[in-house]
């Protein structure tokens, strides 16, 4: 008896056991008469798909364990039967199914069919089969082998494959497969566009070559996923992408999946699946909305606090302190020396310091300039320009070394750590009263147009309080 017969899972005819019908598939047992059959039995029983084979007369010659699992019929019960009639299919369907299966002996390639088989307990299973002819040494058909699986399992596999292909071709979010060395192995079209590079050019390159900023955070997330598994929720990461126009800062909402080999006994990490979507516009909108709410609240609080001040000059510093929170590092208020400047008035402008934030430790603004001495502003100073134009002026030190930035600030009579400035004119009753200057250090971004709008709102309130202080001081 061959090894396949001894295993009880398949029936294999060796060269010393001639097939009575003369047409069954034949395997070589090897020199010892059993090694080939043992190997074949192991291969057949290790397959994930169910497999059966027929000789030229339609007699079952092979039946593996997966076929037994799906239908319940053991190899001992299946091998030797003629076709599926009376046991694995209904009598009404037997002739048609047998004809379809055996017709492949005289057709090229493989054929795919779907039909219902009967289980040992009387149930029915819809299967999808792939069948092909088995040729003898003379090239003539000697039988048929048939691999089959439950249709739902096959559909699940096809869906998985289709999903993978769709993700890497048509997905509206970025998909990147990163290997265990944290290098991209597969990149879809959307991700390639987001990275600003071709799909093949990105493969195998370190992430540091693809992103200008945010690489450390991304690599840390990938390493964590490899070691611990997928995080419970998406993460939002700010990165800078290199483009022909320069670096662009983007916010990517990212999800991560650890990929493990399904063929290993223990999970072996193959890498990480990284899916991301660009949410920069949405995040910037959220941040701008939050900033507007905060600033509106600060203006409201400042107005209520200033209304309780008996001295309008104190109200000036109240407005300045409330405006400074989260907006700037330093602030200065300079008023026009002498009379307020009327519209259309020409001539040199002199400014006197009225209030300023402490130069050292943080604290409330203090009133200064009691001596009335003008500030030593050079011609063309942003504060002087602001008064002359009766409009806001922005200034920056630019991308220079820290020492040059310090010299730039000190030359303009500002604290040495200032690198961004915004001057807003103080107006009341159709006249220019002075200028308020907000200053930011190197750790903050430059002033934008929305910042100027807020500074102008603050300047309106400061100008009104400063004008009232002047009126009361004249009485």
């Amino acid at each position: 008896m061959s090894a396949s017969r001894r295993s009880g899972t398949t029936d294999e005819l060796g060269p010393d056991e001639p097939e009575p019908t003369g047409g069954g598939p034949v395997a070589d047992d090897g020199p010892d008469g059993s090694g080939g059959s043992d190997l074949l039995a192991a291969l057949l029983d290790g397959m994930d798909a169910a497999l059966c084979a027929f000789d030229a007369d339609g007699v079952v010659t092979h039946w593996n364990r997966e076929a037994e699992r799906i239908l319940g019929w053991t190899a001992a019960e299946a091998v030797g039967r003629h076709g599926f009639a009376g046991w694995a299919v209904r009598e009404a369907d037997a002739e048609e199914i047998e004809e379809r299966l055996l017709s492949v002996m005289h057709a090229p390639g493989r054929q795919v069919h779907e039909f219902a088989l009967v289980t040992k307990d009387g149930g029915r299973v819809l299967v999808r089969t792939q069948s092909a002819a088995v040729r003898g040494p003379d090239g003539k058909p000697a039988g048929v082998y048939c691999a089959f699986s439950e249709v739902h399992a096959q559909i699940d596999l096809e869906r998985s494959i289709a999903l993978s292909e769709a993700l890497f071709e048509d997905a509206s979010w970025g998909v990147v497969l990163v290997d265990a060395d944290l290098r991209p192995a597969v990149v879809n079209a959307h991700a390639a566009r987001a990275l600003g590079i071709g799909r093949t050019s990105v493969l195998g390159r370190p992430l540091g070559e693809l992103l200008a900023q945010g690489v450390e955070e991304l690599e840390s997330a990938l390493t964590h996923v490899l070691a611990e598994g997928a995080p419970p929720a998406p993460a939002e990461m700010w990165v800078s992408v290199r483009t022909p126009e320069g670096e662009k800062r983007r916010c990517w909402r990212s999800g991560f999946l650890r990929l493990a080999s399904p063929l290993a006994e223990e999970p072996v990490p193959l890498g990480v699946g990284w899916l991301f979507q660009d949410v920069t516009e949405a995040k910037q909108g959220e941040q701008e909305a939050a900033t507007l709410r905060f600033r509106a609240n600060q203006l409201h609080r400042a107005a209520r606090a200033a209304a309780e001040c008996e001295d309008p000059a104190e109200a000036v510093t109240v407005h300045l302190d409330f405006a400074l929170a989260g907006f700037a590092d330093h602030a200065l208020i300079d008023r026009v020396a002498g009379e307020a400047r009327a519209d259309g008035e020409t001539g040199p402008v002199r400014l006197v310091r009225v209030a300023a934030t402490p130069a050292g430790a943080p604290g409330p603004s203090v009133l200064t300039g009691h001596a009335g001495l003008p500030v030593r502003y050079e011609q063309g100073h942003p504060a002087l320009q602001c008064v002359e134009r009766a409009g806001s002026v922005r200034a920056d030190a630019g991308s220079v070394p820290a020492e040059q930035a310090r010299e730039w600030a000190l030359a303009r009579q500002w604290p040495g750590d200032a690198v961004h400035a915004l001057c807003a004119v103080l107006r009341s009753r159709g006249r220019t009263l002075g200028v308020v200057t907000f200053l930011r250090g190197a750790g903050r971004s430059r002033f934008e147009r929305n910042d100027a709008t807020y500074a102008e709102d603050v300047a309106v309130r400061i100008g009104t309080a400063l004008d009232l202080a002047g009126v009361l001081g004249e009485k």
Side-chain angles (χ1 to χ4, degrees), residues 113-115 125-128 149-156:
H113 301 286
E114 288 186 6
F115 45 76
V125 178
L126 183 63
V127 299
R128 178 173 297 176
S149 61
E150 297 175 82
V151 167
H152 71 81
Q154 183 71 18
I155 292 177
D156 287 345

Side-chain angles (χ1 to χ4, degrees), residues 52-126:
C52 65
F54 304 87
D55 63 14
D57 295 327
V59 176
V60 179
T61 60
H62 295 76
W63 192 266
N64 73 347
R65 290 191 187 277
E66 184 64 11
E68 178 180 342
R69 184 193 68 78
I70 294 176
L71 298 179
W73 301 98
T74 65
E77 295 170 318
V79 173
R81 290 179 180 265
H82 189 283
F84 286 150
W87 62 288
V89 297
R90 298 189 309 172
E91 289 287 352
D93 301 329
E95 182 177 352
E96 179 189 356
I97 292 175
E98 183 175 344
E99 181 180 346
R100 290 164 65 183
L101 287 177
L102 296 182
S103 66
V104 75
M105 285 194 294
H106 307 288
R110 292 178 296 176
Q111 292 186 3
V112 178
H113 301 286
E114 288 186 6
F115 45 76
L117 296 180
V118 178
T119 62
K120 187 176 182 179
D121 59 7
R124 300 184 73 197
V125 178
L126 183 63

Side-chain angles (χ1 to χ4, degrees), residues 103-285:
S103 66
V104 75
M105 285 194 294
H106 307 288
R110 292 178 296 176
Q111 292 186 3
V112 178
H113 301 286
E114 288 186 6
F115 45 76
L117 296 180
V118 178
T119 62
K120 187 176 182 179
D121 59 7
R124 300 184 73 197
V125 178
L126 183 63
V127 299
R128 178 173 297 176
T129 66
Q130 291 189 40
S131 54
V134 177
R135 306 287 175 180
D138 57 358
K140 295 181 179 180
V144 174
Y145 79 82
C146 175
F148 63 91
S149 61
E150 297 175 82
V151 167
H152 71 81
Q154 183 71 18
I155 292 177
D156 287 345
L157 175 60
E158 292 178 0
R159 283 174 178 159
S160 298
I161 296 173
L163 174 62
S164 298
E165 292 180 350
L167 285 174
F168 288 106
E169 295 296 336
D170 307 320
S172 59
W173 55 87
V175 181
V176 180
L177 297 190
V178 182
D179 63 21
D181 295 325
L182 305 186
R183 295 172 183 257
V186 185
V187 178
N188 77 340
H190 187 96
R193 288 193 299 269
L195 293 168
I197 193 170
R199 293 182 64 178
T200 56
S201 302
V202 71
L203 303 182
R205 297 177 60 179
L207 294 174
E209 295 182 6
L210 307 176
L211 299 174
Q213 295 181 9
V215 177
E216 295 80 4
E217 182 181 4
L218 176 58
E219 289 184 340
S220 176
L222 294 172
T223 303
H224 173 81
V225 174
L226 281 172
E228 304 292 337
E236 292 177 352
M237 298 183 176
W238 284 93
V239 300
S240 292
V241 182
R242 298 184 181 92
T243 67
E245 296 79 20
E247 295 181 3
K248 288 188 176 180
R249 190 161 171 78
R250 312 302 297 172
C251 181
W252 290 343
R253 180 171 292 145
S254 302
F256 302 94
L257 299 170
R258 181 166 63 178
L259 306 179
S261 173
L263 304 179
E265 293 184 4
E266 296 182 0
V268 178
L270 297 178
V272 176
W274 171 32
L275 293 83
F276 66 89
Q277 190 173 28
D278 194 319
V279 294
T280 307
E281 285 73 17
K283 291 300 295 182
Q284 288 176 342

Side-chain angles (χ1 to χ4, degrees), residues 144-473:
V144 174
Y145 79 82
C146 175
F148 63 91
S149 61
E150 297 175 82
V151 167
H152 71 81
Q154 183 71 18
I155 292 177
D156 287 345
L157 175 60
E158 292 178 0
R159 283 174 178 159
S160 298
I161 296 173
L163 174 62
S164 298
E165 292 180 350
L167 285 174
F168 288 106
E169 295 296 336
D170 307 320
S172 59
W173 55 87
V175 181
V176 180
L177 297 190
V178 182
D179 63 21
D181 295 325
L182 305 186
R183 295 172 183 257
V186 185
V187 178
N188 77 340
H190 187 96
R193 288 193 299 269
L195 293 168
I197 193 170
R199 293 182 64 178
T200 56
S201 302
V202 71
L203 303 182
R205 297 177 60 179
L207 294 174
E209 295 182 6
L210 307 176
L211 299 174
Q213 295 181 9
V215 177
E216 295 80 4
E217 182 181 4
L218 176 58
E219 289 184 340
S220 176
L222 294 172
T223 303
H224 173 81
V225 174
L226 281 172
E228 304 292 337
E236 292 177 352
M237 298 183 176
W238 284 93
V239 300
S240 292
V241 182
R242 298 184 181 92
T243 67
E245 296 79 20
E247 295 181 3
K248 288 188 176 180
R249 190 161 171 78
R250 312 302 297 172
C251 181
W252 290 343
R253 180 171 292 145
S254 302
F256 302 94
L257 299 170
R258 181 166 63 178
L259 306 179
S261 173
L263 304 179
E265 293 184 4
E266 296 182 0
V268 178
L270 297 178
V272 176
W274 171 32
L275 293 83
F276 66 89
Q277 190 173 28
D278 194 319
V279 294
T280 307
E281 285 73 17
K283 291 300 295 182
Q284 288 176 342
E286 292 176 5
Q287 292 175 354
E288 291 174 2
T291 300
L292 287 174
R293 287 194 300 270
F294 175 75
R295 290 177 177 178
N297 188 46
Q298 288 294 96
L299 290 174
H300 175 72
R301 294 175 61 197
R304 295 192 61 177
E308 301 300 324
C309 297
E310 296 183 4
D311 184 0
E314 183 184 354
V316 168
T317 60
V318 167
H319 282 294
L320 192 64
D321 290 335
F322 273 98
L324 201 65
F327 182 67
D329 298 314
H330 307 284
L332 313 169
I333 297 179
D334 300 320
R335 65 173 175 83
V336 175
E339 296 292 330
R341 189 180 179 90
D343 291 344
E345 184 177 338
T346 59
V349 177
R350 294 187 305 162
L351 297 175
V352 177
R353 182 67 43 82
V354 174
T357 52
S365 302
V366 294
L367 295 171
T368 60
H370 300 292
L373 299 177
V375 185
R376 294 181 297 106
Y377 286 150
E378 296 182 357
Q379 187 175 1
H381 190 282
L384 298 178
Q385 295 181 36
C386 179
V387 173
E388 292 170 353
R389 300 176 186 177
S392 300
V393 175
R394 285 179 286 176
D396 291 279
S399 300
V400 297
E403 187 58 36
Q404 292 185 25
R406 178 177 175 81
E407 294 175 0
W408 175 86
L410 295 177
R412 287 157 179 76
Q413 308 300 316
W414 291 334
D417 60 344
V419 295
H420 309 294
L422 172 60
C423 299
V425 66
L426 304 178
R427 300 271 296 175
S428 180
R429 293 188 293 165
R431 301 172 303 158
T432 298
L433 303 180
V435 57
V436 56
T437 302
F438 295 100
L439 302 168
R440 289 177 177 175
R444 292 177 178 263
S445 61
R446 64 190 300 271
F447 289 100
E448 301 295 344
R449 179 58 221 169
N450 60 335
D451 297 322
T453 301
Y454 177 63
E456 291 165 0
D457 287 342
V458 175
V460 168
R461 291 161 171 77
I462 292 178
T464 301
L466 192 62
D467 189 19
L468 180 59
V471 170
L472 295 178

Side-chain angles (χ1 to χ4, degrees), residues 26-58:
V26 177
D28 184 5
D29 280 348
D32 62 355
S34 64
S37 296
D38 286 338
L39 176 59
L40 179 60
L43 290 174
L44 295 179
D45 285 340
M47 293 177 62
D48 292 331
L51 184 136
C52 65
F54 304 87
D55 63 14
D57 295 327

